[in-house]
Amino acid sequence: MEPVILLTSLIVTAIVFLVIHGRTSESAKLRLPPGPARIPLLGNVHQLPSMGQQRAFAEWGKRYGDVIYARLFQTPAIVVNSMNAAQDLLDKRSAKYSHRPRFILLQDLMGWDVMTHFSYGERWRRHRKWIASAFQDKDALLSYRPLQRRETYVLLSGLMDTPQEFMGHIRRFTAAMIMEIAYGHCVESSDDKFIHLAERASAVTLESGDAGAMLVDFFPLLQYLPFWAPGAGFKRRAFAANKIIQELLDTPFDMVKNAMMKGIARPCFTTSLLEEIIQKGTLNKQDEHEIKGAAGLLYGAATDTTSAVLGTFMLAMVLHPEVYQKARAEIDRVVGADRLPDFDDRASLPYLECVIQEVFRWNCPVPLGLPHRTMVQDEYRGFDIPAEAMIIPNIWAMTNDPSIYSTPDIFRPERFMEMDPQTMESRDPRNVVFGFGRRICPGQKFADSSVWLAAACIIAAVDISQILDAFGKSVQPPAAFDEVFVSHPKDFPCNIKPRSSKAQKMVSDFVVNHTM
């Protein structure tokens, strides 16, 4: 066996040498953006922490600028640290920057075969059209308002009845809206089986690591390791996760399909797609696979990020009661005490708008977004951007840029009120936190309006305060966030109670009249 091992080692060594030599020669011909020094094979991977990579990239930015060249193993990568550069490249030149890297772990092994992971092409356009019709059409968005309103009041009722479970109520709020839109399923409690299934799928996905950043994504041959092989733990975990994810995609879809066969299906995203395809011909397995992925994406992409934003809102209000009171005074002045805020009040509540902007800025829900990939070689500021390069938008660095937002670590909504309207619009963090170019989140308007209504009604209807310790002193929770793909606040306690008996009755009456 020794000659075979020796020959194999020589072949592997030769291939590695040729790959490195070929790519080094290719890079030598390009005028690349500045970046940290690289070493063979690893590139710059050894310089990155396992958690909080957005901060490491931001530190690189202080030395090398807002557009940085690096190598992740042998993959060329461009880190974009500024809002200006991101908009120049990913928005204005979207035609060149709309591909995705190959997400082998998430897509191929775990089963998240969904639009966000597709490369740009016909399949992506088909799914994008489906989702845009549900979340970008004005009439569709208006049709969701009764649902958003109903679930906001259910959220308020939960906060008043069992305030210690406030994050569970927030997760239920986001999940209930998407479950009804995607599958026509009305969530009646936090114990709903679909919510538990979705939370399990979300948990195993987040535990897998950042999209496109796992070892198998850079070395695709690793996906063929036998399950028993040393180092194949990632594959065993992905296989276990795949079962949960497939159950999440299959179970609600089968529920809708069976309801359609019985003639009792409620109108929803899934029924509309099934009806559209059935009218054109026979529904096949591939059609079902595509619809499952499109509907599953609505749930997977929307619920976790929206609950992260509302969790951040709650933490900010606990830490900054002066902001809470100022926003409440504005609502009282505009809305009065006889009803709660509604969508038509939004334009008349400018300070609340600044609060929402600051929530998105202070803890952007997806710090590094999903990486893009260049389709062709490009040139920017005199530098060459290689073809097939991974483009990493450091959204955290953009929303924490001290040249745009002074003292960015401080939660201060007034910063936006101090800007003129044009500057405020250009520096709105929602310009970047929802993505860029053709890859921008199609559900942006729905998510933003859901967050706004929930925040406005929480401020108007409940009191939020810090808990007291044994000596009656306020306990201030830290402004700490999970450093994973989606950034949630770390668990924190707070006191929540109805603002008044009148507010409690308004919520109770609405829930009774609209959920029975």
Side-chain angles (χ1 to χ4, degrees):
M1 292 293 290
E2 289 185 4
V4 174
I5 295 173
L6 177 61
L7 179 60
T8 302
S9 299
L10 289 172
I11 292 173
V12 170
T13 302
I15 291 172
V16 169
F17 173 80
L18 289 172
V19 168
I20 294 175
H21 178 73
R23 294 199 172 185
T24 302
S25 299
E26 179 184 357
S27 297
K29 300 174 185 176
L30 301 177
R31 188 184 177 201
L32 298 168
R38 302 173 289 281
I39 64 174
L41 289 180
L42 293 180
N44 300 104
V45 168
H46 65 294
Q47 298 169 307
L48 292 172
S50 59
M51 305 289 283
Q53 293 177 0
Q54 66 272 18
R55 289 179 172 80
F57 289 143
E59 285 299 314
W60 287 1
K62 294 177 182 178
R63 182 173 181 180
Y64 302 108
D66 59 342
V67 178
I68 301 167
Y69 178 80
R71 276 193 178 274
L72 306 180
F73 297 106
Q74 289 304 298
T75 299
I78 302 293
V79 179
V80 182
N81 275 327
S82 76
M83 189 181 295
N84 182 56
Q87 291 170 341
D88 282 347
L89 296 175
L90 303 180
D91 285 338
K92 296 176 183 177
R93 305 185 190 183
S94 184
K96 296 180 180 180
Y97 290 82
S98 292
H99 267 324
R100 289 286 195 215
R102 188 176 174 192
F103 299 127
I104 292 175
L105 182 68
L106 286 177
Q107 187 171 8
D108 298 350
L109 298 181
M110 296 179 68
W112 281 117
D113 189 27
V114 296
M115 183 188 76
T116 49
H117 301 157
F118 297 167
S119 277
Y120 186 76
E122 286 302 319
R123 189 180 182 214
W124 177 86
R125 281 190 284 269
R126 184 189 192 197
H127 281 240
R128 179 78 181 193
K129 181 180 177 182
W130 285 347
I131 295 175
S133 67
F135 286 102
Q136 293 185 330
D137 179 78
K138 184 177 180 180
D139 290 338
L141 289 171
L142 288 174
S143 74
Y144 300 145
R145 286 191 171 185
L147 170 63
Q148 291 171 292
R149 193 178 292 117
R150 184 193 77 203
E151 292 304 327
T152 296
Y153 277 79
V154 173
L155 168 62
L156 294 174
S157 179
L159 295 177
M160 292 176 175
D161 294 342
T162 52
Q164 68 279 7
E165 299 173 13
F166 68 95
M167 279 308 304
H169 297 309
I170 287 173
R171 287 192 293 269
R172 183 210 170 278
F173 165 73
T174 58
M177 290 187 295
I178 296 300
M179 283 300 302
E180 190 152 335
I181 292 170
Y183 303 108
H185 173 67
C186 184
V187 173
E188 296 182 355
S189 76
S190 297
D191 293 327
D192 185 275
K193 64 179 180 179
F194 294 116
I195 290 183
H196 284 298
L197 181 57
E199 288 180 349
R200 287 173 59 209
S202 176
V204 297
T205 302
L206 291 176
E207 289 167 5
S208 72
D210 290 342
M214 302 307 292
L215 197 60
V216 68
D217 295 318
F218 296 104
F219 299 99
L221 287 176
L222 291 177
Q223 68 182 300
Y224 302 112
L225 279 175
F227 283 103
W228 49 263
F234 76 93
K235 191 171 181 179
R236 293 190 291 272
R237 290 189 294 272
F239 182 74
N242 184 284
K243 293 182 179 179
I244 298 172
I245 292 164
Q246 288 308 311
E247 187 179 358
L248 170 67
L249 298 176
D250 291 344
T251 306
F253 175 86
D254 291 341
M255 174 192 70
V256 173
K257 189 177 176 183
N258 291 334
M260 288 181 67
M261 292 175 64
K262 297 175 182 178
I264 57 173
R266 299 178 64 188
C268 63
F269 179 78
T270 300
T271 57
S272 66
L273 293 185
L274 284 169
E275 289 168 353
E276 175 186 324
I277 291 175
I278 290 171
Q279 288 174 1
K280 293 179 180 179
T282 305
L283 182 73
N284 58 44
K285 291 294 182 183
Q286 184 59 34
D287 291 327
E288 291 191 353
H289 176 78
E290 300 293 321
I291 296 172
K292 288 177 185 178
L297 174 63
L298 298 186
Y299 192 97
T303 54
D304 203 32
T305 51
T306 305
S307 64
V309 173
L310 284 173
T312 299
F313 164 77
M314 296 293 288
L315 176 59
M317 297 303 98
V318 171
L319 292 175
H320 298 278
E322 75 285 356
V323 172
Y324 199 68
Q325 293 303 323
K326 188 173 179 178
R328 173 176 282 179
E330 180 183 65
I331 290 173
D332 288 348
R333 187 168 58 251
V334 172
V335 177
D338 295 328
R339 64 179 180 87
L340 295 185
D342 208 347
F343 295 103
D344 292 340
D345 299 312
R346 186 166 189 174
S348 302
L349 298 169
Y351 183 71
L352 177 59
E353 197 68 30
C354 293
V355 172
I356 302 300
Q357 287 177 293
E358 185 70 345
V359 167
F360 278 107
R361 188 207 65 78
W362 189 53
N363 178 46
C364 57
V366 187
L368 289 174
L370 275 174
H372 293 228
R373 178 165 62 93
T374 50
M375 304 167 81
V376 294
Q377 184 175 315
D378 197 17
E379 185 273 335
Y380 183 61
R381 297 179 184 170
F383 293 108
D384 294 315
I385 307 295
E388 304 296 322
M390 180 185 289
I391 310 296
I392 302 173
N394 189 354
I395 299 172
W396 182 89
M398 299 174 202
T399 59
N400 283 270
D401 185 344
S403 70
I404 295 179
Y405 310 106
S406 62
T407 57
D409 56 321
I410 296 176
F411 184 89
R412 195 174 71 86
E414 287 77 9
R415 73 176 76 246
F416 294 103
M417 298 197 78
E418 294 163 1
M419 302 175 187
D420 62 74
Q422 185 175 357
T423 303
M424 181 193 291
E425 184 177 353
S426 67
R427 296 183 179 182
D428 189 334
R430 290 169 294 196
N431 293 337
V432 296
V433 299
F434 286 99
F436 304 92
R438 299 178 184 181
R439 292 287 181 170
I440 195 168
C441 173
Q444 174 178 353
K445 291 182 179 179
F446 177 79
D448 178 58
S449 63
S450 298
V451 167
W452 182 88
L453 186 64
C457 289
I458 287 171
I459 292 170
V462 301
D463 289 329
I464 301 176
S465 61
Q466 298 173 11
I467 65 169
L468 303 179
D469 63 16
F471 302 99
K473 185 178 180 181
S474 294
V475 178
Q476 181 169 296
F481 305 93
D482 294 330
E483 293 194 332
V484 292
F485 179 65
V486 178
S487 179
H488 289 263
K490 291 185 181 297
D491 290 342
F492 63 94
C494 67
N495 284 321
I496 303 173
K497 62 181 182 179
R499 179 186 182 182
S500 64
S501 57
K502 184 176 183 178
Q504 189 169 22
K505 187 176 188 305
M506 280 193 289
V507 170
S508 177
D509 289 348
F510 187 97
V511 171
V512 168
N513 293 328
H514 292 82
T515 60
M516 295 298 173

